[in-house]
Amino acid sequence: MSFGSSSGGGLDPDALIFAGKYDEALQALNRSSGSDDLRLAGKRCYCLTQIGRHDEAIGMLQKHLSSRRGWSAGWIAKAKVHFDLGQYAQALDCLTDDGTKNLKKGSSRAIMEEARDLRACIGQVRDSGATEHIRGNVQYKAEEFERATKHYLRAVEELPSMEDRSLGEQERERLGALHSNLSACYFKLGHAEVSKSKEMWFLALKHALKCVKLRPGWSKGYTRRDDAIRVLDVSKVDVSAIEESLHKTLRVSETKAGVEEDNKVSGDNAFKRGDFSSAVNFYTKALQSNQVHHPKAKLHSNRSACYAKLGKWVPALEDGQKALQESPRWHKAWMRVACAMEGLGNVLDAYCVYSKALGSCAEGKAELQRSMAALLPLIPVRDTHVSLDCRGSRCLERFQMDANFPRDRTRVFCISDVHIDQHGNIAWFKKLSDENFTNDVVIIAGDVGDTMNALRICLKEFKKRFRRVFFTPGNHDLWIRRDTSDGKMYPDSIAKMGAMHNVCQELGVDMGPAEVAQGIFVVPLFSWYNHTFDERDPTPGGLRYDSFCQWPPSLGGHLEVWKYFLLMNRERVGRDYKGGYKGPGTPYVFSMSHFLPRAELPYPMGVQEMAKAVGCKELDVQIQRIKSDVHVFGHTHMDMDTTMPGTDTRYVQSALDGGGGLYKLYEGHHLTGTRVDTNGFPI
């Protein structure tokens, strides 16, 4: 390539292209003779592309290619223009090499290699992300800042402009993030291209200011702005003038929004002075206006907060959900929904909302974590799934619904460790009678499946056959394996347990206590193991069992989980089930847990540190407090029906995965102890 003077007295176009002076290079090329010269046409195309005149470049190339279809370099040039526009399909179509279309057989080896490399590059970029925004992120991480800039600019073009009054909160957030990314790219390019440093840094400042305007509460926009000001000579940069130029196009729309501004500000002032009813009215007027200036998410969020202060939890939830729809990555919207759910008594659901918010929101994580930690001790006493005493308790409703069912028509069965997703155990249900258990009760002492989907399938199969189904979770039920859908759905095992309650409610399965017939009580107990169960060495072991379980930090680590599970039982073990019964016959209490309540119960002795991960002796204190006649447990897959010195309680395990099956505990006014087949007949 020559960098001397051209015959016309000006600089050689190649030298101008090398210097990045594409406008001047294009003028020089246009002055050159030979408008049909394909070599010059290729250079003109390159210059037009660099200065953003893509349509002219494509038109010029198409004109040449219509008469010279075998011009392989022209097809490559056209592919590059389409690639620069993000038109990946058109770009690849230009590079077909089947011998009948664009790249003819006989093209030089260099041309074919260039086409092959370009095809690979286009395919790689196209497949690097589903959107231009994601593709830009990929290029940014690869430090291809110029290419990332093009992706981000195309993503900006796909969204409404800043001054568009219909711009939603979600679009505002996305647009702000894109301008932040563009600012970062131009900042990097300013360091890479010294000759264009000032130009690049001014662009970085411009996009940073747009980000600040779109997302005034986002710290990253201010960081981008300050970075650009720092590298520019701030004494020579009138930042306020740049801001004035940037924002003047928005002033007309802001002026038109004066009424909404007044209503929003009036609502804020009413909220501050505690006049929540008036605040609701002001926010409602702002939302009902034909042209809403303030983000709808913020107005719905503020009105939700007012309803919460007034104790109107249903409209508070509705407004919180609307705020979340408008701005799904805004942590305040998630918090409004969670607050309303807590007010309605759905404390576990509120915990799950906070958990999901942590995975969705880039900001407010500390506030979300504090809110989650504050909810944990409230779940046992205020959640309608768990507490019998809270107002409007679903648990209490389920407790009373069958209190008058005839006890002589009721049988009680138990089973544990179904593990429906292992060892072909699901086939057992094909043998289980659909007709012989319609008046009966089954107690399932945990470990029905490793995933929520398996749990749902298993409990649904039982519910199709039994009148009442009781379930308490085991360790496998609380696993969150990252290679399953649970890993994407539940950030921790408490959140998964909350989802279990919702699944059980949907299916009509019980996780709380109930009087299932006259004087027949079933009391599920939550349980987890602790190392003091190992009487030979009551110290923490070196092994971590159930590492698939994830626990919130506020519980104090996996060694403290057992304390929280006992706390979950506090209200249900505080009731006098037998003393409150005044009906016919002797009352019986059937309690259930997954883990062993007594160290005397057998467990596999040959497994290292197994004793530290099978039981909780403190659980038996709760069992004795409710005067349980039969306690059903699982986990060890070692079937038994036994009593222990100093107590009248029978301890029963019948694990399907251990070779057992259904075990009958009660029939015809009396306690029994009989293994039965899948039709309910004694074995």
Side-chain angles (χ1 to χ4, degrees):
M1 182 180 289
S2 172
F3 299 118
S5 298
S6 67
S7 59
L11 284 176
D12 186 343
D14 290 338
L16 293 169
I17 291 173
F18 183 81
K21 299 179 180 180
Y22 303 112
D23 284 298
E24 295 178 36
L26 184 61
Q27 292 174 12
L29 288 166
N30 289 337
R31 288 195 298 268
S32 300
S33 59
S35 60
D36 290 336
D37 188 321
L38 297 182
R39 184 177 60 85
L40 293 179
K43 293 180 180 180
R44 289 191 187 98
C45 171
Y46 179 76
C47 292
L48 288 168
T49 302
Q50 293 302 310
I51 60 179
R53 292 160 63 179
H54 297 84
D55 290 342
E56 292 181 48
I58 290 176
M60 182 194 68
L61 288 168
Q62 193 60 44
K63 178 181 177 182
H64 286 288
L65 289 167
S66 62
S67 58
R68 296 177 176 86
R69 188 166 181 81
W71 182 33
S72 298
W75 288 110
I76 291 175
K78 189 179 179 185
K80 289 179 179 178
V81 179
H82 283 300
F83 184 27
D84 201 62
L85 288 169
Q87 298 169 348
Y88 307 111
Q90 294 94 319
L92 290 171
D93 190 57
C94 291
L95 299 174
T96 52
D97 60 352
D98 59 2
T100 62
K101 292 190 177 180
N102 305 334
L103 301 182
K104 297 290 187 180
K105 290 182 178 179
S107 297
S108 71
R109 181 177 179 180
I111 286 289
M112 298 304 288
E113 287 181 352
E114 183 181 2
R116 181 196 62 200
D117 293 343
L118 182 57
R119 268 198 306 271
C121 180
I122 293 170
Q124 183 180 18
V125 171
R126 179 198 59 191
D127 298 337
S128 65
T131 65
E132 288 297 307
H133 193 159
I134 296 173
R135 293 178 187 125
N137 293 343
V138 172
Q139 296 301 320
Y140 185 90
K141 290 178 181 178
E143 299 187 1
E144 295 284 350
F145 303 117
E146 187 172 354
R147 187 171 288 172
T149 299
K150 293 178 181 179
H151 289 295
Y152 290 140
L153 287 172
R154 286 197 288 268
V156 168
E157 291 174 359
E158 294 170 357
L159 293 170
S161 64
M162 285 180 62
E163 56 269 21
D164 192 330
R165 298 289 311 288
S166 65
L167 190 67
E169 182 65 19
Q170 185 177 359
E171 293 170 325
R172 183 180 293 271
E173 289 184 359
R174 288 172 57 196
L175 197 55
L178 285 166
H179 283 298
S180 170
N181 294 354
L182 282 165
S183 178
C185 287
Y186 286 123
F187 183 80
K188 296 284 188 180
L189 289 171
H191 286 289
E193 301 181 34
V194 178
S195 63
K196 297 183 178 180
S197 291
K198 190 172 182 180
E199 177 187 351
M200 294 294 105
W201 290 335
F202 265 109
L203 287 171
L205 177 58
K206 176 183 175 182
H207 285 285
L209 292 173
K210 287 185 177 182
C211 176
V212 169
K213 180 65 179 178
L214 287 160
R215 300 180 65 175
W218 194 30
S219 61
K220 188 170 286 187
Y222 296 98
T223 301
R224 302 286 192 222
R225 181 198 64 182
D226 294 343
D227 286 344
I229 291 174
R230 175 172 50 80
V231 293
L232 289 163
D233 188 348
V234 72
S235 63
K236 297 179 182 179
V237 178
D238 187 356
V239 178
S240 62
I242 298 174
E243 290 179 318
E244 177 70 18
S245 174
L246 174 65
H247 300 329
K248 67 181 180 180
T249 58
L250 303 176
R251 286 206 177 125
V252 173
S253 61
E254 290 177 353
T255 301
K256 291 179 180 178
V259 174
E260 294 90 51
E261 175 74 20
D262 291 342
N263 283 324
K264 196 268 182 186
V265 171
S266 298
D268 293 346
N269 292 333
F271 185 91
K272 290 175 183 176
R273 64 175 182 266
D275 187 358
F276 305 118
S277 296
S278 296
V280 166
N281 292 333
F282 283 121
Y283 292 136
T284 301
K285 289 178 182 178
L287 284 165
Q288 290 174 342
S289 174
N290 291 330
Q291 292 181 319
V292 179
H293 171 60
H294 284 283
K296 286 186 177 181
K298 185 170 290 187
L299 293 171
H300 281 298
S301 172
N302 290 0
R303 194 169 68 175
S304 175
C306 293
Y307 282 129
K309 291 290 186 181
L310 294 168
K312 297 181 178 180
W313 300 112
V314 172
L317 178 60
E318 291 172 350
D319 264 326
Q321 290 171 333
K322 289 176 182 177
L324 191 56
Q325 289 173 358
E326 291 285 336
S327 185
R329 296 179 62 190
W330 185 34
H331 72 285
K332 285 288 186 183
W334 288 90
M335 293 184 73
R336 299 299 185 216
V337 173
C339 176
M341 285 186 169
E342 181 187 350
L344 289 167
N346 302 329
V347 187
L348 260 174
D349 291 340
Y351 182 90
C352 293
V353 169
Y354 285 127
S355 299
K356 291 179 182 178
L358 280 174
S360 302
C361 303
E363 300 175 8
K365 290 186 180 293
E367 191 173 2
L368 290 167
Q369 288 170 342
R370 286 195 298 269
S371 298
M372 289 175 65
L375 279 186
L376 278 173
L378 300 180
I379 292 172
V381 295
R382 288 180 50 185
D383 187 80
T384 62
H385 291 296
V386 180
S387 173
L388 288 165
D389 295 335
C390 69
R391 180 171 54 87
S393 170
R394 289 195 294 267
C395 192
L396 180 60
E397 179 185 341
R398 299 286 299 178
F399 181 89
Q400 299 170 335
M401 62 182 287
D402 283 334
N404 294 319
F405 193 89
R407 58 191 290 151
D408 59 350
R409 293 172 52 195
T410 299
R411 296 184 298 176
V412 178
F413 297 87
C414 72
I415 194 170
S416 73
D417 301 281
V418 177
H419 291 289
I420 195 171
D421 47 2
Q422 297 181 22
H423 310 143
N425 290 344
I426 193 171
W428 180 77
F429 285 100
K430 295 180 180 179
K431 305 174 185 177
L432 189 61
S433 173
D434 292 332
E435 302 172 352
N436 293 1
F437 303 103
T438 54
N439 286 328
D440 300 331
V441 177
V442 63
I443 292 170
I444 309 170
D447 273 7
V448 301
D450 291 1
T451 65
M452 187 65 78
N453 185 52
L455 181 142
R456 177 188 290 274
I457 292 171
C458 182
L459 295 181
K460 188 175 181 179
E461 290 293 330
F462 276 112
K463 186 56 185 168
K464 286 193 302 186
R465 296 166 170 87
F466 288 84
R467 175 170 62 87
R468 294 292 290 268
V469 176
F470 288 83
F471 167 72
T472 192
N475 49 316
H476 278 258
D477 303 313
L478 293 169
W479 280 8
I480 303 177
R481 292 172 53 176
R482 297 306 173 191
D483 59 343
T484 68
S485 59
D486 289 0
K488 300 175 183 177
M489 289 288 293
Y490 313 114
D492 62 45
S493 295
I494 298 296
K496 186 177 181 182
M497 185 166 64
M500 282 180 197
H501 280 87
N502 290 329
V503 169
C504 287
Q505 181 189 6
E506 174 191 335
L507 298 177
V509 173
D510 293 280
M511 291 180 70
E515 186 175 2
V516 297
Q518 295 167 322
I520 307 299
F521 300 91
V522 178
V523 185
L525 298 176
F526 298 101
S527 63
W528 200 256
Y529 49 80
N530 69 61
H531 54 270
T532 61
F533 195 80
D534 184 357
E535 295 183 331
R536 297 180 181 179
D537 177 21
T539 60
L543 297 179
R544 169 76 190 277
Y545 283 90
D546 297 300
S547 59
F548 285 131
C549 290
Q550 305 294 322
W551 304 109
S554 54
L555 286 186
H558 69 279
L559 295 178
E560 303 296 317
V561 172
W562 65 276
K563 296 179 182 178
Y564 184 71
F565 277 65
L566 291 181
L567 179 65
M568 294 273 284
N569 299 331
R570 187 175 67 179
E571 285 194 1
R572 54 189 66 182
V573 300
R575 298 177 72 90
D576 184 3
Y577 297 97
K578 293 181 178 180
Y581 177 66
K582 306 301 181 184
T586 302
Y588 293 110
V589 173
F590 299 87
S591 57
M592 56 188 289
S593 67
H594 181 65
F595 292 102
L596 282 61
R598 295 182 68 105
E600 303 97 316
L601 295 169
Y603 54 85
M605 301 297 291
V607 182
Q608 186 179 4
E609 297 186 356
M610 174 61 77
K612 302 179 188 298
V614 294
C616 174
K617 290 185 287 186
E618 291 80 0
L619 180 63
D620 199 52
V621 176
Q622 295 186 333
I623 293 169
Q624 299 309 315
R625 187 177 177 186
I626 60 175
K627 302 174 184 177
S628 176
D629 295 284
V630 179
H631 182 76
V632 180
F633 62 98
H635 190 59
T636 56
H637 298 203
M638 300 177 72
D639 296 350
M640 68 192 70
D641 184 346
T642 187
T643 58
M644 294 290 166
T647 174
D648 295 328
T649 304
R650 284 168 51 197
Y651 297 88
V652 178
Q653 178 173 190
S654 183
L656 178 65
D657 204 50
L662 285 176
Y663 192 80
K664 186 167 61 177
L665 301 173
Y666 174 86
E667 182 180 20
H669 299 282
H670 301 290
L671 297 177
T672 64
T674 309
R675 187 172 304 283
V676 299
D677 62 19
T678 51
N679 290 307
F681 301 130
I683 296 177

